[in-house]
């Protein structure tokens, strides 16, 4: 009987991957994950068997992971950021619930929320609530209500954005504090050399993460 690691590799750069996760990747026979996340690690483990699948195939990805482990292989399900925060840990457990003999170990990782906030000089030092702005599974009205509720309670709301129109992003981000611009990381958390700052509204169309002040808007490499 094999084993499944569900690992969070951090927000993009190898320096943010924890030693426990690196050890699990090194011990695995197969690395399974979303194509983009696999690309972030495959050069470090060229000898590993790779199973990479596109977005929207999460269930199939977890089933492939399960079948490989049932076949006796040690498998790492690769997630960016943390394995549980908008990651695959819950779905792996769900897909494997009828196979109690399978050993599953979830290894946490650094999220883009904390990594980006630290990079920007705006660390999340108090209460905060992560909110996904993707309406693929959640109605936009529910998203906006959650965002508004957290802002009205003075809780910093780091947010993972999907393909949401920029007007909605702007209204969701500015509703509670219209005079304070969100901070921005205009280039991805793996690109450490760039200067962080505030992003003008017109440049937000290509961004991939947002937060209200004093948090961040991190871009490019997906984290959650």
């Amino acid at each position: 009987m094999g084993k499944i690691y569900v690992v969070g590799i951090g927000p993009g750069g190898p320096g943010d991957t924890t030693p426990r996760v690196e050890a699990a990747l090194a011990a695995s026979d197969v690395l399974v994950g979303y194509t983009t996340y696999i690309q972030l690690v495959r050069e470090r483990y060229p000898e590993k068997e790779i199973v990479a699948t596109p977005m929207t195939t999460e269930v199939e990805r977890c089933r492939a992971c399960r079948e490989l482990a049932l076949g006796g292989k040690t498998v790492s399900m690769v997630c960016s950021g943390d394995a549980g925060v908008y990651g695959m840990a819950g779905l792996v457990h769900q897909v494997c619930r009828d196979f109690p003999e399978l050993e599953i170990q979830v290894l946490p990782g650094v999220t883009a929320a904390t990594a980006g906030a630290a990079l920007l000089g705006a660390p999340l030092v108090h209460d905060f609530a992560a909110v996904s702005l993707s309406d693929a599974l959640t109605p936009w009205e529910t998203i906006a209500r959650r965002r508004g509720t957290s802002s009205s309670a003075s809780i910093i709301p780091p947010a993972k954005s999907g393909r949401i129109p920029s007007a909605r992003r702007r209204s969701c981000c500015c509703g509670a504090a219209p005079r304070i611009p969100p901070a921005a990381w205009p280039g991805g958390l793996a690109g450490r050399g760039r200067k962080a700052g505030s992003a003008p509204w017109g440049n937000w169309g290509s961004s991939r993460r947002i937060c209200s002040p004093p948090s961040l808007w991190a871009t490019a490499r997906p984290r959650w």
Side-chain angles (χ1 to χ4, degrees):
M1 186 64 60
K3 177 177 181 177
I4 298 174
Y5 292 106
V6 190
V7 301
I9 62 171
D16 289 325
T17 302
T18 69
R20 290 179 66 202
V21 168
E22 290 284 10
L25 293 171
S28 296
D29 302 304
V30 189
L31 307 183
V32 179
Y34 171 49
T35 305
T36 299
Y37 304 158
I38 289 294
Q39 290 173 351
L40 296 175
V41 299
R42 69 186 309 163
E43 289 187 2
R44 308 204 304 266
Y45 301 98
E47 76 285 1
K48 304 296 183 183
E49 180 181 346
I50 297 293
V51 177
T53 67
M55 195 70 75
T56 74
T57 60
E58 288 79 10
V59 174
E60 292 84 351
R61 194 181 308 149
C62 290
R63 287 172 178 164
C65 197
R66 179 190 67 195
E67 296 308 309
L68 287 164
L70 287 172
K73 294 190 174 183
T74 299
V75 186
S76 278
M77 172 64 80
V78 178
C79 310
S80 69
D82 180 74
V85 181
Y86 302 113
M88 302 295 289
L91 188 55
V92 168
H93 277 291
Q94 182 177 346
V95 167
C96 297
R97 61 187 173 188
D98 294 329
F99 300 88
E101 67 274 20
L102 272 180
E103 182 182 357
I104 300 172
Q105 185 174 0
V106 178
L107 300 181
V110 178
T111 72
T114 54
L119 243 168
L120 289 164
L124 300 171
V125 297
H126 209 283
D127 299 334
F128 68 94
V131 180
S132 172
L133 299 188
S134 171
D135 60 356
L137 298 175
T138 306
W140 177 255
E141 292 72 21
T142 300
I143 295 169
R145 184 171 63 252
R146 290 172 178 171
R147 173 61 179 77
T149 299
S150 61
S151 294
S152 64
S154 298
I155 295 175
I156 300 169
K160 170 186 180 291
S161 70
R163 295 183 178 179
I164 301 299
S166 58
R168 280 189 171 183
R169 291 179 181 173
R170 177 173 179 175
S171 64
C172 194
C173 194
C174 284
R179 294 185 299 276
I180 308 175
W185 178 250
L189 293 172
R192 300 293 175 174
R194 303 191 183 183
K195 182 179 179 181
S198 295
W201 292 117
N203 294 339
W204 283 21
S206 62
S207 298
R208 300 298 296 260
R209 300 276 186 275
I210 77 169
C211 300
S212 277
S215 294
L216 71 151
W217 180 299
T219 66
R221 299 274 171 124
R223 153 21 268 160
W224 283 295

